[in-house]
Amino acid sequence: MKLLFIGPPGAGKGTQADRVAERLGIPHISTGDMFREHVSRGTELGDKVEKIMAAGEYVPDEITVQMLEERIDRPDAAEGFILDGFPRTPGQVESLDDLLGEDGLDKVVVFKVDQDELTERMLARGRADDTAETIRNRFDIYLEQTQPILDIYEERGLTVEVDGNGEMNEVTDRVMEAIGATSDQGVSGDDS
Ligand code: AMP
């Protein structure tokens, strides 16, 4: 199963991607996590992206796409994966199409969380950049940048919406249902 998780900052999509990936026995592939790992290991790639990330800007596609390609070529991703944080731009959607084919993804899970709950969750994290105003700003940026990607996948009939409000276990159950996974490992339907 090849899945993409999309959701606003604070929606808990990374947490859910971890949990669902474990249940399905496939890797959770987060380009943000991969970049952070390179930075903490002090690799050449890490040195290149450190400043870009600190400024909250996007890493250039040639770096991001190559890193992603190497990751999904690894044997553990042969049976599927959950992408989180990639693609982020229409150009990256095209790159992913080149890598997987246009019908490569099985589902795109879109997390819907009330803005009030998002704000509450992010304020509870207590991060310096999590003021009510910057949260609103990041939410707007998310909507602006992500909508074109959602439009592409909606047109292909791949999107499923999941209510991300409420308790973590309940949200995981909703995701499993939305992707047609009926038991801890079992996935119903055509998983070719
Ligand atoms: P994230 O953990 O997904 O919020 O990503 C953290 C940072 O990594 C972003 O602010 C970008 O600098 C970089 N990054 C992660 N994914 C991508 C991507 N698909 N394209 C470009 N930059 C990315």
Side-chain angles (χ1 to χ4, degrees):
M1 236 204 190
K2 293 173 181 153
L3 303 169
L4 164 62
F5 282 14
I6 293 185
K13 120 191 101 76
T15 307
Q16 293 299 334
D18 266 340
R19 297 166 65 102
V20 174
E22 198 182 329
R23 288 209 202 174
L24 296 177
I26 55 178
H28 166 201
I29 300 178
S30 155
T31 43
D33 284 350
M34 292 170 77
F35 284 134
R36 276 184 287 275
E37 203 188 311
H38 275 285
V39 171
S40 72
R41 280 175 28 222
T43 67
E44 200 179 316
L45 193 150
D47 289 344
K48 269 193 218 163
V49 303
E50 191 169 10
K51 281 207 190 85
I52 299 171
M53 291 178 74
E57 283 161 18
Y58 281 179
V59 174
D61 278 0
E62 66 258 28
I63 296 176
T64 309
V65 172
Q66 196 195 338
M67 182 182 72
L68 182 89
E69 182 171 7
E70 285 167 13
R71 180 65 190 89
I72 61 180
D73 277 346
R74 274 171 33 196
D76 68 330
E79 298 297 316
F81 44 76
I82 299 177
L83 292 180
D84 162 16
F86 183 99
R88 255 177 157 90
T89 63
Q92 291 182 359
V93 172
E94 260 178 55
S95 298
L96 189 63
D97 288 347
D98 291 343
L99 294 176
L100 303 179
E102 264 205 33
D103 56 358
L105 290 174
D106 294 294
K107 290 251 159 39
V108 175
V109 178
V110 184
F111 287 83
K112 298 279 174 187
V113 183
D114 295 340
Q115 213 188 329
D116 286 349
E117 179 150 341
L118 279 180
T119 307
E120 212 170 282
R121 285 186 196 180
M122 291 170 85
L123 287 175
R125 303 196 299 206
R127 252 168 48 175
D129 57 343
D130 282 343
T131 65
E133 193 189 332
T134 60
I135 291 167
R136 214 166 21 242
N137 191 32
R138 271 184 282 167
F139 191 74
D140 289 346
I141 290 171
Y142 162 79
L143 289 179
E144 193 183 292
Q145 290 174 342
T146 313
Q147 196 55 48
I149 293 175
L150 290 181
D151 289 345
I152 294 171
Y153 287 122
E154 246 159 49
E155 212 161 282
R156 295 184 194 174
L158 291 179
T159 52
V160 285
E161 287 188 2
V162 168
D163 177 2
N165 296 289
E167 206 265 319
M168 190 164 60
N169 288 318
E170 274 170 31
V171 178
T172 307
D173 289 344
R174 285 181 211 138
V175 177
M176 295 297 281
E177 203 186 323
I179 62 176
T182 50
S183 71
D184 277 8
Q185 280 113 31
V187 175
S188 67
D190 180 5
D191 63 355
S192 62

